[in-house]
Amino acid sequence: MASQLRIPSPLRRFTGGDAAISVNGGTIKEVLGELFTAHPEIKNHLIEENGDLRNFVNIFVNNEDIRHSGGLDSEVIDDSDVRIIPSIAGGVDDLTPPELARYSRHITLPEVGMDGQKKLKSAKVLVVGAGGLGCPVALYLAAAGVGTIGMVDYDVVDESNLQRQILYGVSQKGQPKLDAAKERLQNLNPHINIKLHSVALTSENALDIVKDYDMVLDGTDNFPTRYLVNDACVMSGKPNVYGSIYRFDGQVSVFNHEDGPCYRCLYPSPPPPGLVPSCAEGGVLGVLPGIIGCLQANEAIKLILGIGNLMKGRFLLFDALEMEFTELKIKKDPQCVVCGENPTVTELIDYEQFCGIPQAEEKKNDFDEITVFELKDILDQDNYPVVIDVREPFELDIAQIGGTTHIPMREMENHLSEFNTNDEIIVHCKSGGRSAKICKLLIENKFTNVKNVKGGILAWSKEIDSSIPQY
Ligand code: ZN
């Protein structure tokens, strides 16, 4: 007959709440093997890297301590009662000797202490975006011993990320960011759990992802996701530790905490699309997300520990050029559509539409797209139409396609009169996004023969001329 392996309550979170499992092994080693096959996460809590039982865990077979009867090789006869007894009261949420050594500078602080470090260990924090802000946030939370860190991102590591996204290195270019992040974070702290959500956060999945965490750190880089994070936090009652960066300016606050305001109380609706350029278009000082991300991590740790004066109802502005911090007071808006007295937004909406971004059916272009192969054929002709490169001057220094005319995107409107509206005009940029906007602008200004180069100079580098650097 099978034996029963009894699971102590602190470990039942790994067994789906089961207090015992049936096992058939003839030795403790075999019995534990069955347990780890069924619930792999438990292994780390019971066994050292060298395969020994951790020294704060005891195992009893029919009320006998196995240390007196052969250790892990002890025999388990049929129908035995096998119990795992953590030797420290309170179970796995207590700190192991290596953790005590690792966190000693925290534990020494009266404001943190042993209790605080245990709070950090049991905290669950979701980081949305593994970019400029998400990198320092995740590094410091991992180092501080936040027990569960979830990360949401679906991007891959690109050369242009390395100027500020300090989780990644050259050897990880092209890899999914989350895989690279997990590798670095577990190397920094193997005592914590890193949960990866390799998806775009959407209205369909946001509440389901957020519900397992105590708070959300917003490291997004676009308005639709920012409003989505805010609304999901309000609807699930989680604090939103907000950070935002652009060029040399940063913002920090803690939204939706207790009776404090949410992001929508401050900004009820987003700016029209195109008014505020993204960091990809406008640039960002590499160290800025480090500064702002560290401030977010600081607020998250204070929130977990319940210490200090949080940024609730306070809005911090940082100007890196002036080296100036400005603090504004912000208030909860009783009319706020999501957190106010009579909210009208009670479920997640279409945030792309809310932010004025055209929907799929409206996105149908009035201009043609050509491939880089077609562009090559065109440029090989003796008389070819004008090909406008709308990238920034610094990008030309990195890479350019010969025979093109340079007009940066923001100056385009001033140059329209240089062309006839029935001229054939081909537009390219780095990857096709900015040039599509310019094609649209040309169409709006009655140009009739406008073509966008799909994939931009990156595609040219990949398909036509590999000597052109990718950036
Ligand atoms: Zn609000």
Side-chain angles (χ1 to χ4, degrees):
M1 236 192 101
S3 298
Q4 290 294 304
L5 172 62
R6 296 185 188 274
I7 312 293
S9 57
L11 292 179
R12 287 178 201 160
R13 61 191 164 116
F14 300 117
T15 62
D18 289 348
I21 64 168
S22 268
V23 288
N24 297 304
T27 64
I28 289 295
K29 212 177 247 170
E30 291 171 7
V31 163
L32 289 178
E34 290 175 57
L35 172 66
F36 301 153
T37 305
H39 307 291
E41 279 179 299
I42 290 188
K43 185 171 183 181
N44 196 24
H45 292 276
L46 300 183
I47 302 290
E48 298 283 2
E49 271 178 23
N50 65 9
D52 290 347
L53 200 58
R54 286 183 179 264
N55 58 11
F56 54 91
V57 176
N58 292 338
I59 294 181
F60 286 74
V61 179
N62 299 327
N63 303 330
E64 292 278 342
D65 188 336
I66 60 162
R67 283 177 296 179
H68 309 304
S69 61
L72 291 173
D73 294 314
S74 303
E75 198 185 346
V76 179
I77 53 167
D78 282 355
D79 210 9
S80 287
D81 177 78
V82 185
R83 289 173 189 256
I84 299 168
I85 313 287
S87 61
I88 303 166
V92 290
D93 285 330
D94 271 310
L95 301 170
T96 61
E99 287 175 304
L100 291 172
R102 168 180 285 263
Y103 304 127
S104 61
R105 301 297 189 281
H106 260 171
I107 295 167
T108 310
L109 289 170
E111 291 80 358
V112 183
M114 191 71 87
D115 281 351
Q117 196 61 51
K118 285 187 202 168
K119 281 185 193 166
L120 289 168
K121 183 171 178 174
S122 53
K124 300 186 174 87
V125 174
L126 182 68
V127 182
V128 180
L133 292 169
C135 286
V137 159
L139 277 166
Y140 272 103
L141 294 183
V146 170
T148 304
I149 301 174
M151 299 187 79
V152 188
D153 204 297
Y154 61 97
D155 216 353
V156 296
V157 178
D158 178 82
E159 180 90 40
S160 67
N161 299 147
L162 303 180
Q163 164 252 22
R164 64 200 177 286
Q165 299 183 14
I166 55 172
L167 272 171
Y168 316 120
V170 175
S171 63
Q172 291 158 323
K173 273 195 297 181
Q175 261 184 45
K177 281 187 180 175
L178 288 196
D179 293 350
K182 182 167 182 171
E183 193 181 316
R184 172 74 182 97
L185 294 170
Q186 294 283 209
N187 187 31
L188 173 63
N189 190 346
H191 305 287
I192 59 169
N193 294 316
I194 309 290
K195 290 174 80 172
L196 305 183
H197 304 278
S198 306
V199 292
L201 197 73
T202 64
S203 302
E204 285 70 44
N205 63 22
L207 291 175
D208 199 43
I209 293 175
V210 166
K211 76 172 175 6
D212 293 330
Y213 296 91
D214 306 323
M215 69 185 72
V216 179
L217 276 82
D218 178 358
T220 54
D221 61 357
N222 62 80
F223 286 108
T225 319
R226 212 173 264 303
Y227 279 90
L228 169 62
V229 167
N230 180 73
D231 292 2
C233 283
V234 173
M235 286 169 202
S236 32
K238 316 273 181 181
N240 170 10
V241 182
Y242 162 90
S244 180
I245 47 169
Y246 178 64
R247 289 176 175 256
F248 297 94
D249 292 333
Q251 302 175 342
V252 184
S253 189
V254 174
F255 291 121
N256 194 46
H257 181 49
E258 294 170 348
D259 55 350
C262 82
Y263 181 66
R264 286 222 205 201
C265 294
L266 184 62
Y267 296 115
S269 51
L275 186 69
V276 181
S278 70
C279 284
E281 290 162 11
V284 61
L285 184 69
V287 71
L288 181 66
I291 295 166
I292 299 300
C294 285
L295 293 174
Q296 285 179 280
N298 185 54
E299 290 306 296
I301 287 171
K302 281 160 59 189
L303 246 171
I304 294 166
L305 297 174
I307 59 170
N309 204 352
L310 286 170
M311 286 296 298
K312 179 184 85 173
R314 303 158 67 191
F315 197 65
L316 185 74
L317 306 174
F318 173 61
D319 180 332
L321 285 179
E322 296 300 316
M323 185 42 78
E324 196 174 72
F325 286 92
T326 310
E327 187 180 318
L328 310 174
K329 283 202 183 86
I330 52 173
K331 282 210 172 81
K332 190 177 177 85
D333 176 5
Q335 312 298 324
C336 175
V337 294
V338 64
C339 82
E341 285 156 11
N342 296 303
T344 51
V345 178
T346 53
E347 52 188 45
L348 297 176
I349 56 170
D350 183 332
Y351 291 87
E352 299 259 321
Q353 190 179 45
F354 174 63
C355 293
I357 294 165
Q359 298 305 286
E361 60 271 28
E362 293 169 43
K363 265 182 188 159
K364 235 176 104 277
N365 297 325
D366 300 324
F367 50 85
D368 290 334
E369 289 203 303
I370 60 167
T371 65
V372 286
F373 299 104
E374 289 167 294
L375 177 63
K376 167 107 176 52
D377 289 342
I378 291 168
L379 289 173
D380 284 343
Q381 295 163 14
D382 290 335
N383 278 319
Y384 56 81
V386 61
V387 180
I388 304 175
D389 178 349
V390 296
R391 297 173 304 143
E392 297 300 310
F394 80 89
E395 297 178 272
L396 264 67
D397 293 340
I398 302 169
Q400 59 180 306
I401 302 172
T404 57
T405 305
H406 180 229
I407 304 175
M409 183 173 176
R410 60 196 141 74
E411 288 171 23
M412 193 67 202
E413 273 190 289
N414 304 330
H415 290 265
L416 294 178
S417 58
E418 294 164 21
F419 306 101
N420 290 319
T421 51
N422 51 7
D423 285 350
E424 181 178 1
I425 296 182
I426 298 169
V427 191
H428 93 80
C429 64
K430 181 182 175 187
S431 58
R434 281 175 280 172
S435 51
K437 285 185 191 165
I438 291 301
C439 288
K440 234 177 147 194
L441 174 86
L442 290 166
I443 297 289
E444 281 161 13
N445 284 278
K446 312 276 182 267
F447 283 79
T448 53
N449 191 359
V450 178
K451 295 187 174 100
N452 184 31
V453 180
K454 239 194 307 194
I457 196 167
L458 288 182
W460 182 272
S461 165
K462 271 182 211 138
E463 309 291 352
I464 307 292
D465 181 358
S466 61
S467 73
I468 303 259
Q470 296 191 21
Y471 64 99

